[in-house]
């Protein structure tokens, strides 16, 4: 019941939103069509009643009749949505609020509408008849006491996500064993394999990750890599990913030029002389393991491969020599399970269980069968509940209550179910959304958020928050509940990539099937079936799957394609041709050389990503996509946008740029996009990057009306443009990222004209081009966490101006200063974690005074050719974890060597690496010994 109810509730509310839109259109434009208007009003009334009814039935015991009932309601709601969307497809432009229509167009539209209206009207009649058969309003109303309670969706509140939680309760021994295997081991020994096996949810990955990330371990190895080996992995991609991580290849694009043989050769030659640590996470098949291991040389003494696997037998058959090791992870024993649970459930009570809750807590822990993942999830769920026995009992009773028929999912399902049920409907949808992505797929936070919004999962709330802010709260909520994990953090503690763990993925896939949430074609054998006509979302993971019955596509609202080959490429246009009502189209990485004309016929699109495709132009007909909110053309070859782009009044995110560089970042390694005059008409825009301002001068003035901008990227600025830019920026109170590049390397950026109203919410600032001085207002940016200065060639040290920034975490300087000394004054840069110095040509001395940069974790120095001395008092940077140097003077590198007199200054730094650029443009690691 809970399952059907969610899809029914979602379908009904989606339909309801559309009815609202269509009926206000009818009021405005087709006033005289009284019959149609009345009918639509009736549908609206019916839908709201059904909505109240579903809310009322939520969580009620199920019986089969009711289930059928709810399914019928859902399907009818789908049909209503389809009819209304078909109507919108036919008269799209009139939904444009801002259009100034001319008389002639009015007349044409009138006749177009007329037909569309007539058709809709007859569909509506049919729907009305079905409504009456399914449920009569009277009987519905009788069964509900139409209680207007607080909506469950209103209860999402912001919870802080804490990076890197220590989830190692109960694993101390395993951890110690592993660390002992990895450090201090005889260096002369050959390559060693360590297998860590345990069933899904036993916590083996968390254990290995924790050990892998510890500096104590990392410092023992020259290089290291973490590879997910999903069940659908491609060996070729795995090898590339290994090469990228192990050999520090800077950009994916460099790798694309290598064929598989070259990748293998490079791995072989690079690793031969190194001590490496490799984790192969979640290996299922012996063949995968074999072909990966075959590509690896033994490395220099003591290299290690850790393999995690759910399959104990596999470990036994793969581990040959006695030198190798198998670590078995069982469920936690009682006390450890108990401690973990208490830590999660009673954080405010210091991890102690109140006496009155003890009985139920123990029963709950028993049901989790020692699985740390499950214990943590249930514990976090309970930490949000009222701490009274009855709540605890309720949860206990629901554990294992609704067991899925698939027995392997039985325990798992029963454990996640309470956490799942506890989510509001919108959060449930957001959570189920992860079932769209392939196994082990990490999705970028911002992409996820934009997709959620396009799906309509995010509801506007009062209080000045944008949909993007609300969506971010949702994501944090899912992370806080241990349902979604962060796979990559940003330097400032923001989530960059996230995913669901495999076990949870299994669970949501089963839910997603029951909910008719998404149809996934994941294997060659998968294909569409005749019952698929109801599918709303389609996700293709395997390029060989075939869509045999195209008619089902007509109703698809979201389409994702994760894997391409040439045959799918030719099929894609047919596929697009069959879509009509689609709202989200994610074709990232597709081998499309031209912007397909078929796309502009998809007039209901809200989200379009052609990121990473070779597409080079955007047609004028883009204006037909009047509802578009996101247009993602990053890493495409597009360098110009047509004037018609300004017809997209709802556009919130416009991302167009690409990089092309080899190893050293050159000034012209980024390409922006030219836009015609009129950018001021994109009034809803929040992210706009990178706009090439070279050609038209009014651009910077036009920007001033874009008051909702969060991110602005500009390229091609001249010195005299600074004044207008400052005047515009002043009017953007929400601006958080500003990226400004001058027209060429020697051109000055002048942003001094910002006396008052400077953008106080700015968090990230990048200035690329010459500077006379650091603009004074920058010193007052209290929210600034990252600043990048490139090619500024300042004559006085920029540190004077920057040292007063209280929250600066990352400072990057490339050719930013022409002086010889950089002095980090005592007690400044208190929050700085990352410092990057590159190509500061005359720099010979870096001084770190007492208590400067007390939190510095990573220091990179690159191509500062005059620098022969280590930074003075670097030994006082006690938090420093990594010192990386690239192409530095030999004398500098010699001072890093273990036998050097200066070595004591850096002895405390766990990881020290030096790289030089080879002739073939790859960084190669120099041995420090
Ligand atoms: C900006 O546009 C000009 C032509 O108007 C072009 O020459 C230049 O390469 C473009 N710059 C970038 C970085 O896109
Ligand atoms: C370095 O740290 C030591 C011990 O905390 C302190 O006495 C000394 O003054 C510091 N030196 C500098 C220049 O930071």
């Amino acid at each position: 019941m809970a399952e059907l109810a969610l899809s029914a509730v979602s379908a009904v509310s989606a339909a309801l939103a559309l009815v609202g839109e269509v009926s206000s259109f009818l009021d405005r434009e087709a006033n005289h069509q009284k019959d149609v208007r009345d009918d639509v009003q009736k549908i609206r009334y019916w839908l709201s009643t059904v909505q109240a009814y579903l809310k009322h039935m939520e969580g009620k015991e199920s019986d089969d009749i009711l289930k059928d009932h709810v399914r019928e309601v859902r399907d009818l709601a789908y049909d209503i949505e389809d009819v209304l969307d078909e109507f919108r497809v036919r008269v799209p432009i009139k939904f444009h609020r801002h259009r100034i229509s001319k008389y002639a167009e009015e007349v044409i539209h009138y006749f177009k509408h007329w037909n569309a209206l007539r058709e809709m009207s007859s569909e509506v009649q049919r729907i009305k008849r079905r409504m009456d058969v399914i449920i009569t309003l009277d009987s519905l109303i009788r069964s509900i006491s139409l209680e207007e309670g607080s909506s469950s969706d209103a209860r999402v509140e912001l919870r802080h996500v804490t990076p890197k939680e220590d989830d190692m309760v109960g694993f101390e021994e395993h951890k110690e064993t592993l660390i002992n295997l990895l450090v201090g081991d005889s260096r002369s020994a050959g390559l060693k394999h360590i297998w860590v096996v345990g069933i899904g949810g036993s916590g083996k990955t968390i254990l290995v990750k924790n050990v892998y990330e510890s500096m104590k371990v990392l410092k023992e190895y020259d290089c290291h890599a973490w590879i997910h080996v999903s069940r659908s992995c491609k060996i070729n991609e795995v090898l590339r990913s290994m090469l990228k991580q192990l050999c520090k290849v800077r950009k994916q694009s460099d790798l694309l030029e290598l064929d598989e043989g070259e990748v293998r050769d490079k791995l072989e030659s690079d690793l031969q002389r190194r001590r490496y640590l490799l984790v192969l996470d979640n290996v299922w098949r012996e063949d995968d393991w074999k072909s990966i291991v075959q590509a690896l040389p033994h490395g220099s003494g003591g290299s290690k491969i850790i393999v995690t696997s759910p399959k104990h037998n596999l470990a036994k058959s793969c581990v040959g020599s006695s030198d190798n090791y198998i670590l078995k992870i069982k469920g936690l024993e009682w006390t450890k399970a108990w401690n973990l649970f208490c830590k999660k459930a009673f954080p405010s009570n210091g991890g102690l269980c109140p006496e009155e809750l003890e009985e139920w807590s123990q029963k709950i822990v028993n049901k989790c069968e020692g699985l740390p993942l499950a214990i943590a999830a249930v514990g976090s769920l309970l930490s949000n509940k009222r701490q009274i026995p009855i709540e605890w009992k309720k949860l206990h009773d629901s554990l294992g209550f609704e067991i899925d028929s698939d027995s392997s999912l039985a325990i798992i399902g029963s454990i996640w179910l309470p956490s799942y049920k506890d989510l509001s409907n919108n959060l449930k949808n957001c959570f189920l959304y992860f079932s769209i992505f392939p196994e082990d797929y990490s999705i970028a936070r911002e992409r996820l958020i934009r997709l959620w919004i396009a799906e309509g999962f995010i509801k506007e709330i009062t209080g000045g928050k944008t949909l993007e802010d609300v969506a971010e709260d949702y994501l944090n909520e899912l992370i806080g509940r241990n349902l979604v994990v962060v796979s990559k953090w940003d330097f400032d503690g923001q989530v960059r990539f996230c995913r669901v763990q495999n076990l949870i993925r299994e669970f949501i896939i089963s839910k997603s099937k029951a909910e008719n949430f998404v149809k996934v074609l994941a294997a060659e054998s998968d294909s569409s079936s005749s019952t698929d006509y109801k599918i709303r979302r389609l996700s293709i993971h395997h390029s060989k799957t075939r869509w045999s019955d195209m008619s089902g596509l007509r109703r698809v609202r979201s389409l994702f394609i994760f894997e391409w080959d040439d045959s799918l490429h030719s099929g894609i246009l047919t596929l697009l041709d069959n879509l009509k009502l689609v709202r989200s189209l994610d074709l990232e990485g597709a081998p499309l050389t031209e912007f397909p004309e078929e796309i502009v016929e998809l007039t209901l699109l809200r989200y379009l990503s052609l990121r990473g495709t070779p597409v080079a132009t955007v047609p004028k007909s883009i204006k037909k996509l009047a509802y578009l909110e996101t247009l993602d053309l990053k890493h495409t070859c597009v360098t110009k946008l047509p004037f018609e782009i300004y017809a997209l009044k709802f556009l919130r995110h416009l991302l167009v740029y690409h990089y092309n560089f080899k190893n050293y970042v050159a000034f012209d390694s980024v390409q922006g996009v030219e836009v015609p005059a009129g950018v001021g008409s994109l009034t809803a825009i929040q992210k706009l990057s990178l706009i090439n301002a070279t050609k038209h001068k009014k651009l910077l003035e036009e920007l001033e009306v874009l008051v909702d901008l969060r991110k602005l990227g500009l390229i091609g600025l001249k010195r005299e443009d600074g004044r207008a830019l400052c005047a515009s920026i002043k009017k953007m109170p929400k601006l958080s990222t500003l990226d400004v590049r001058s027209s060429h390397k020697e051109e000055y950026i002048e942003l001094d004209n910002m006396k008052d109203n400077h953008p106080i919410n700015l968090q990230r600032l990048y200035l690329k081009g010459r500077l006379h001085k650091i603009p004074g207002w920058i010193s007052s940016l209290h929210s600034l966490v990252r600043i990048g200065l490139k090619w500024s060639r300042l004559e006085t040290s920029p540190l004077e101006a920057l040292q007063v920034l209280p929250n600066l975490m990352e400072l990057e300087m490339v050719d930013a200063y022409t002086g010889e000394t950089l002095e980090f004054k005592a007690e400044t840069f208190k929050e700085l974690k990352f410092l990057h110095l590159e190509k500061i040509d005359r720099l010979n001395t870096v001084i770190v005074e007492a208590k400067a940069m007390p939190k510095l974790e990573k220091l990179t120095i690159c191509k500062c050719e005059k620098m022969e001395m280590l930074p003075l008092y670097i030994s006082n940077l006690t938090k420093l974890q990594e010192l990386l140097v690239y192409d530095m003077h030999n004398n500098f590198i010699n001072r890093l060597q273990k036998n050097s007199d200066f070595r004591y200054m850096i002895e405390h730094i766990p990881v020290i690496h030096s790289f030089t650029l080879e002739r073939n443009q790859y960084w190669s690691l120099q041995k420090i010994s």
Side-chain angles (χ1 to χ4, degrees):
M1 172 66 200
E3 289 155 16
L4 277 171
L6 173 64
S7 53
V9 169
S10 307
V12 169
S13 59
L16 206 51
L18 277 187
V19 172
E21 198 178 319
V22 170
S23 49
S24 60
F25 167 77
L26 292 175
D27 289 348
R28 242 181 13 245
E29 311 280 336
N31 224 329
H32 42 282
Q33 296 296 315
K34 192 164 178 317
D35 299 349
V36 190
R37 275 169 58 220
D38 286 353
D39 285 345
V40 170
Q41 280 310 328
K42 271 181 203 137
I43 292 181
R44 185 183 206 163
Y45 182 55
W46 185 83
L47 282 168
S48 356
T49 317
V50 166
Q51 192 177 44
Y53 168 74
L54 290 173
K55 215 166 249 170
H56 178 72
M57 295 312 295
E58 218 167 43
K60 296 269 182 344
E61 298 296 277
S62 56
D63 67 54
D64 288 343
I65 299 173
L66 196 60
K67 271 190 185 170
D68 283 347
H69 225 107
V70 173
R71 188 178 292 126
E72 281 177 72
V73 166
R74 180 194 70 192
D75 291 350
L76 185 57
Y78 281 163
D79 289 346
I80 294 173
E81 201 185 356
D82 290 346
V83 169
L84 299 178
D85 266 345
E86 296 267 1
F87 178 68
R88 293 189 331 146
V89 168
R90 299 188 59 181
V91 284
I93 206 76
K94 294 303 280 184
F95 284 90
H96 249 222
R97 289 191 292 237
H98 310 271
R99 205 187 69 105
I100 308 159
S101 49
K102 296 189 202 77
Y103 177 72
E105 279 177 79
E106 286 287 334
V107 175
I108 294 162
H109 273 295
Y110 180 79
F111 286 106
K112 263 204 192 152
H113 293 168
W114 180 243
N115 281 333
L117 267 172
R118 274 213 347 235
E119 260 166 55
M120 180 173 75
S121 162
S122 71
E123 286 295 327
V124 162
Q125 291 293 335
R126 219 170 301 150
I127 282 171
K128 262 178 57 203
R129 282 194 295 276
R130 274 172 64 201
M131 272 169 13
D132 294 340
V133 177
I134 295 177
I135 283 174
T136 62
L137 278 181
D138 284 354
S139 70
L140 260 186
I141 291 165
R142 252 183 278 122
S143 70
I144 323 169
S145 52
L146 276 172
E147 25 185 347
E148 290 292 289
S150 61
S151 124
S152 60
D153 287 340
R155 51 164 297 291
V156 177
E157 79 258 26
L158 181 71
R159 194 160 311 129
H160 273 294
V161 183
T162 40
K164 297 221 174 126
E165 230 181 305
D166 182 16
D167 276 329
M168 295 302 293
V169 182
F171 275 139
E172 289 83 2
E173 278 167 41
H174 290 321
K175 186 174 169 181
E176 219 180 297
T177 313
L178 259 187
I179 289 183
N180 284 337
L181 286 167
L182 293 172
V183 302
D185 199 24
S186 150
R187 281 175 176 268
S188 58
L191 179 65
K192 191 175 206 169
H193 292 255
I194 301 164
W195 283 71
V196 180
V197 290
I199 62 163
S202 58
K204 54 185 181 306
T205 299
I206 296 173
L207 167 70
V208 175
K209 188 139 210 161
N210 192 289
V211 170
Y212 174 81
E213 282 172 354
S214 84
M215 284 296 163
K216 194 170 162 192
V217 168
L218 285 190
K219 71 174 185 187
E220 297 282 322
Y221 296 87
D222 297 330
C223 53
H224 47 86
W226 179 286
I227 305 288
H228 282 294
V229 186
S230 67
R231 263 174 287 183
S232 52
C233 75
K234 304 257 173 340
I235 292 306
N236 190 9
E237 279 161 27
V238 166
L239 295 181
R240 278 166 198 274
S241 168
M242 262 161 42
L243 186 60
K244 184 168 179 226
Q245 294 182 49
L246 289 170
C247 308
K248 299 264 174 192
V249 176
R250 200 148 172 181
K251 272 283 146 186
Q252 199 71 35
S253 54
D254 295 343
L255 285 172
L256 292 179
E257 290 160 17
L258 302 179
D259 66 29
E260 186 171 340
E262 287 171 317
V263 170
R264 286 175 186 271
D265 288 349
K266 178 142 178 64
L267 268 175
E268 172 86 34
S269 67
D270 266 44
L271 294 183
Q272 203 59 263
R273 293 166 295 132
R274 298 198 199 166
R275 194 173 198 228
Y276 63 87
L277 172 63
L278 173 66
V279 177
L280 302 174
D281 185 28
N282 210 18
V283 173
W284 284 77
R285 289 179 305 234
E286 188 165 346
D287 287 349
D288 291 345
W289 173 78
K290 270 199 187 133
S291 35
I292 295 171
V293 169
Q294 270 163 9
L296 295 167
H298 278 221
S300 82
S303 292
K304 302 274 188 314
I305 298 180
I306 306 180
V307 189
T308 79
S309 173
K311 295 182 147 183
H312 190 227
N313 290 342
L314 184 63
K316 277 208 292 211
S317 71
C318 295
V319 170
S321 82
S322 58
D323 208 20
N324 296 326
Y325 192 90
I326 301 181
L327 181 64
K328 265 189 270 181
I329 310 285
K330 298 204 197 70
L332 298 180
E333 49 156 283
W334 172 257
T335 10
K336 291 177 176 171
W338 176 250
N339 289 343
L340 175 58
F341 175 81
C342 292
K343 188 177 141 199
K344 290 285 172 185
F346 313 108
S348 51
N349 198 26
L352 291 177
C353 177
E355 210 173 307
E356 69 276 14
L357 291 175
E358 230 166 71
E359 182 192 345
W360 287 109
S361 297
Q362 288 177 0
K363 287 184 175 168
I364 289 168
V365 174
N366 262 329
K367 279 209 169 181
C368 293
E369 315 232 347
L371 295 176
L373 216 57
I375 296 169
V378 173
S380 319
L381 172 65
L382 283 168
S383 70
N384 295 320
K385 299 274 177 209
R386 284 179 302 156
Q387 307 231 320
I388 48 174
I390 182 77
E391 284 282 347
W392 255 233
K393 175 177 184 313
K394 234 166 48 191
L395 185 105
H396 171 268
D397 294 348
S398 69
L399 280 172
F401 175 68
E402 219 172 294
I403 288 178
D404 288 275
S405 50
D406 183 346
S407 66
S408 70
L409 275 176
I411 313 171
I412 297 160
S414 76
I415 284 166
W416 301 117
L417 205 54
S419 303
Y420 173 75
K421 280 188 170 168
D422 195 55
L423 300 175
S424 68
N425 283 325
N426 284 335
L427 267 173
K428 269 185 196 148
N429 281 324
C430 292
F431 184 39
L432 289 186
Y433 213 68
F434 285 90
S435 61
I436 287 175
F437 307 105
E439 195 177 319
D440 283 327
Y441 191 88
S442 282
I443 175 158
R445 171 182 53 102
E446 297 193 308
R447 177 176 170 204
L448 182 67
I449 282 176
R450 296 198 272 264
L451 283 164
W452 281 351
I453 292 172
E455 293 279 351
F457 295 158
I458 310 298
K459 295 283 176 292
E460 206 129 16
I461 55 170
T462 49
K465 282 194 173 185
T466 61
L467 292 177
E468 284 77 3
D469 296 336
V470 179
E472 185 142 355
D473 291 350
Y474 279 24
L475 180 60
N476 286 340
E477 172 93 15
L478 292 175
I479 293 168
R481 288 169 181 255
N482 288 314
L483 295 173
V484 170
V485 292
V486 179
S487 26
K488 193 164 179 199
W489 295 99
D490 231 336
F491 70 98
D492 60 352
Q494 259 196 336
V495 179
R496 188 183 276 180
F497 285 92
C498 58
R499 59 189 275 262
V500 287
Q501 271 159 336
N502 289 334
L503 205 61
I504 296 184
R505 187 169 173 270
E506 303 276 329
F507 170 76
I508 53 177
I509 284 176
S510 75
K511 286 288 149 216
S512 173
K513 275 200 186 118
E515 295 281 5
N516 184 38
F517 188 85
V518 55
K519 168 94 179 174
V520 175
L521 301 179
E524 202 165 330
S525 54
D526 286 356
S527 67
S528 53
S529 71
S530 56
T531 56
D532 284 340
Y533 71 94
K534 281 189 209 126
I535 61 164
R536 309 308 257 192
R537 301 182 186 85
L538 176 64
S539 178
I540 299 178
H541 298 183
H542 198 289
S543 61
K544 293 275 186 307
T545 53
R546 285 293 161 264
W547 193 260
S548 50
D549 179 13
M550 290 280 183
S551 64
L553 284 172
R554 194 175 170 81
R555 292 150 168 251
V556 163
R557 298 305 201 281
S558 312
L559 174 67
F560 293 81
I561 303 181
F562 290 97
E563 193 184 279
W564 302 90
D565 72 0
D566 294 343
S567 58
L568 189 62
H569 175 212
S570 53
I572 179 73
L573 299 181
T574 330
L575 207 65
L576 290 176
D577 216 21
N578 279 279
L579 298 168
K580 277 288 170 300
L581 308 180
V582 73
R583 290 174 196 158
S584 304
L585 190 57
D586 196 324
L587 303 180
E588 190 167 327
L592 293 166
T593 44
E594 276 172 51
F595 193 106
E597 277 293 329
E598 287 81 355
I599 288 181
V600 298
E601 300 306 324
L602 305 173
T603 49
L604 301 184
L605 266 187
R606 295 180 192 161
Y607 179 99
L608 174 61
S609 172
L610 296 173
R611 184 188 281 226
T613 65
V615 163
T617 55
V618 172
K620 290 180 189 309
S621 49
I622 187 87
K623 69 172 180 206
K624 291 192 190 172
L625 302 180
Y627 295 97
L628 206 61
E629 295 169 353
T630 296
L631 180 57
D632 189 340
L633 299 170
K634 258 193 194 184
H635 311 307
T636 62
C637 305
V638 174
T639 54
K640 268 198 175 88
L641 289 173
F643 177 75
E644 286 71 14
I645 198 87
Y646 299 140
L648 311 182
K649 303 295 171 199
F650 300 117
L651 203 59
R652 300 160 83 87
H653 306 278
L654 178 58
L655 308 168
V656 197
Y657 52 89
H658 74 266
Y659 293 102
N660 52 45
F661 55 71
K662 282 285 181 193
N663 266 286
Y664 278 126
V665 183
F667 185 84
D668 54 2
S669 59
V670 68
Q671 180 83 49
V673 67
E674 285 179 57
V675 295
V679 72
S681 46
L682 295 176
T683 48
I685 202 88
Q686 293 184 13
K687 294 204 169 178
L688 186 61
S689 187
L690 259 173
I691 305 300
N692 185 340
T694 308
K695 278 256 179 77
H696 82 89
K697 288 301 143 199
K698 284 275 178 281
L699 179 88
L700 300 165
E701 282 146 43
E702 284 175 13
L703 288 174
E704 70 167 11
V705 295
L706 307 182
V707 292
D708 282 328
L709 270 182
R710 305 297 174 103
K711 174 174 180 173
L712 174 62
L714 293 169
I715 194 162
L717 251 62
K718 293 265 172 39
R719 184 174 189 167
E720 59 270 24
D721 296 333
R723 182 176 287 269
L725 179 59
C726 285
S728 288
I729 288 176
K730 276 187 195 172
K731 301 192 176 146
M732 302 171 184
K734 297 171 187 162
L735 199 65
S736 78
T737 301
L738 178 63
D739 183 349
V740 176
R741 301 161 196 241
S742 63
S743 56
H744 61 95
K745 218 166 132 179
E746 300 305 325
E747 181 69 34
Y748 282 86
I749 302 178
E750 209 167 81
L751 296 178
D752 299 317
N753 264 297
M754 191 114 61
K755 286 196 191 58
D756 42 12
N757 286 339
H758 43 258
I760 47 165
N761 290 314
L762 213 56
Q763 293 176 20
R764 296 163 192 233
L765 175 64
Y766 309 94
L767 299 176
K768 296 160 194 170
R770 293 290 293 269
L771 291 175
H772 279 299
K773 65 183 202 50
I774 305 267
W777 52 274
I778 288 178
S779 302
S780 57
L781 296 175
H782 285 192
S783 303
L784 205 66
V785 290
R786 174 189 267 172
I787 187 164
L789 300 174
K790 295 190 179 173
W791 301 285
S792 347
R793 303 189 62 80
L794 287 155
E795 279 166 22
T796 53
S797 164
L799 300 184
E800 288 292 317
L802 301 180
Q803 67 193 12
V804 298
L805 293 170
N807 288 306
L808 196 66
M809 292 186 195
E810 185 165 346
L811 170 58
E812 188 183 16
M813 291 194 277
V814 177
D815 198 7
Y817 173 49
T818 56
E820 296 180 356
T821 308
L822 275 178
E823 198 172 345
F824 292 86
K825 290 268 162 56
E827 307 205 27
T828 58
F829 295 102
K830 292 226 151 136
E831 297 297 322
L832 201 69
K833 284 186 181 165
F834 304 105
L835 174 62
H836 178 93
L837 305 174
E838 179 170 335
K839 234 184 142 316
I840 305 190
D841 291 337
R842 296 168 61 201
L843 183 69
N844 55 33
T845 313
V846 174
I847 304 172
V848 183
E849 290 187 357
K851 294 188 186 145
M853 305 188 280
K855 294 185 180 168
L856 196 70
E857 289 173 11
K858 183 171 173 178
L859 171 60
T860 321
I861 310 177
C862 188
K863 273 209 158 186
C864 294
E865 287 162 4
K866 290 272 156 54
M867 192 164 166
E868 298 178 33
M869 298 285 298
L870 300 179
L872 287 178
Y873 309 112
I874 188 174
S875 52
N876 277 12
L877 296 175
T878 52
K879 290 273 161 54
L880 199 57
Q881 301 290 310
E882 273 184 275
L883 171 63
L884 305 182
V885 307
Y886 294 79
D887 262 3
M888 291 293 283
H889 197 285
N890 274 341
N891 290 345
F892 188 97
I893 295 171
N894 287 338
R895 291 186 156 100
L896 301 175
Q897 305 293 349
K898 300 228 164 86
N899 59 4
S900 134
D901 289 345
F902 300 88
R903 178 71 191 190
Y904 75 95
M905 292 170 68
I906 52 170
E907 202 57 78
H908 65 294
I909 307 173
V911 176
I912 301 171
H913 285 320
S914 165
F915 300 88
T916 47
L917 197 62
E918 288 173 14
R919 230 172 308 142
N920 62 7
Q921 295 293 302
Y922 286 106
W923 290 110
S924 106
L925 185 84
Q926 300 305 108
K927 200 93 191 152
I928 291 181
S929 53

